[in-house]
Amino acid sequence: MNIHILTVLPELLESPLNHSIMKRAQEKGLLQVEIFNLRKWAVNEYGQIDDYQYGGGAGMIMMCEPLSKAINELNNQHQYEEIIYTTPDGDLFDQKEANTLSLKKNLLIICGHYKGIDQRIRDHYITKEISIGNYVLSGGELAAAIITDAIGRLIPGVLNNETSALFDSFQDDLLAPPVYTRPADFNGWQVPEILLCGNQNKIDEWRHEQSVNRTQLKRPELLKEN
Ligand code: ADE
């Protein structure tokens, strides 16, 4: 799978996507993340990619021309299935969306910056607008990293134990159950007896119950969505 990211701050994306699972996914050839600097398509030799907004107001707007040139050039080479724009007014990102996007082969993510991108680019090129939460970040780069991580780990073969993503929180609209490791007794705090009983069916049943209880308690709206 190819995830291409267009940004004015490539440095912000390098570290989060080059460690741990994302690094392994790329080393295994299952995921190719490429980061493109929008300034390559700047309108002048000073690297200009933004300008003042019509109608007045503080903050710069990312211009049509560099974005349009970059998207056309990259899309001609890769035929993206989705051209995603990260923005606080996009659709809220969730596990369902991560699952859907993990089935694609070629994605382009455009990171918003300053006061965002010219509306005409949104109208004519963007196929999906994603927010990672109801708060405003300084730019879309961290959102793009989060989206890439959530998608990348779902690609078959990326996780060591392929089934493990199936048991993640949210995968079936349930939070994950509590987990424990050795020792069975720490400071007199015991691991639940059932996890030591060796009966996998009973353990699975208990974990499911715990998931439902935890979801009811912490995120009841997830149960109501079913
Ligand atoms: N850019 C700034 N804030 C954002 C958010 N919450 N989600 C996605 N992109 C953003």
Side-chain angles (χ1 to χ4, degrees):
M1 175 181 202
N2 296 306
I3 301 184
H4 293 170
I5 304 176
L6 186 58
T7 170
V8 285
L9 280 174
E11 307 81 12
L12 259 184
L13 282 155
E14 272 148 24
S15 179
L17 298 174
N18 282 310
H19 293 280
S20 181
I21 292 172
M22 288 305 103
K23 183 176 177 198
R24 218 178 318 130
Q26 292 176 80
E27 283 170 355
K28 284 184 180 171
L30 299 167
L31 173 66
Q32 289 81 39
V33 178
E34 265 190 81
I35 298 165
F36 296 92
N37 191 336
L38 181 64
R39 291 200 198 275
K40 182 181 162 197
W41 293 274
V43 292
N44 56 32
E45 73 217 67
Y46 307 109
Q48 187 184 357
I49 48 86
D50 59 350
D51 210 335
Y52 297 102
Q53 54 179 311
Y54 279 117
M60 304 294 271
I61 308 299
M62 290 166 75
M63 302 165 82
C64 282
E65 188 183 324
L67 284 166
S68 168
K69 280 189 174 155
I71 296 169
N72 283 336
E73 185 177 323
L74 295 172
N75 198 37
N76 282 342
Q77 289 163 26
H78 304 285
Q79 279 93 50
Y80 299 112
E81 289 147 284
E82 298 283 1
I83 299 178
I84 298 166
Y85 173 50
T86 55
T87 173
D89 61 11
D91 296 330
L92 268 187
F93 190 59
D94 61 10
Q95 192 63 40
K96 265 194 198 87
E97 189 61 52
N99 290 343
T100 305
L101 292 174
S102 75
L103 302 173
K104 312 278 184 191
K105 290 276 165 284
N106 288 298
L107 298 177
L108 175 64
I109 306 179
I110 296 170
C111 304
H113 234 276
Y114 317 113
K115 279 280 175 190
I117 66 177
D118 190 298
Q119 182 62 38
R120 291 165 289 185
I121 295 294
R122 295 175 74 157
D123 295 341
H124 296 283
Y125 287 103
I126 301 298
T127 61
K128 201 176 267 294
E129 301 186 327
I130 296 182
S131 162
I132 59 155
N134 291 330
Y135 41 80
V136 180
L137 303 165
S138 336
E141 284 74 17
L142 296 179
I146 284 169
I147 293 164
T148 303
D149 186 295
I151 297 171
R153 62 193 293 286
L154 294 172
I155 300 168
V158 167
L159 295 180
N160 280 340
N161 173 2
E162 268 215 44
T163 60
S164 71
L166 297 176
F167 298 108
D168 284 344
S169 278
F170 302 110
Q171 208 46 273
D172 46 11
D173 282 332
L174 289 177
L175 300 182
V179 291
Y180 301 86
T181 186
R182 285 183 291 187
D185 179 332
F186 177 72
N187 282 348
W189 306 330
Q190 309 290 336
V191 167
E193 206 48 55
I194 186 125
L195 294 177
L196 311 174
C197 78
N199 181 331
Q200 198 58 52
N201 287 339
K202 279 198 167 152
I203 293 173
D204 289 347
E205 221 171 90
W206 179 85
R207 284 183 169 153
H208 182 70
E209 255 173 50
Q210 292 289 316
S211 281
V212 174
N213 292 346
R214 190 174 256 198
T215 311
Q216 189 85 63
L217 202 67
K218 295 185 170 202
R219 300 291 306 276
E221 78 280 6
L222 291 175
L223 294 172
K224 286 190 201 114
E225 278 167 18
N226 287 325

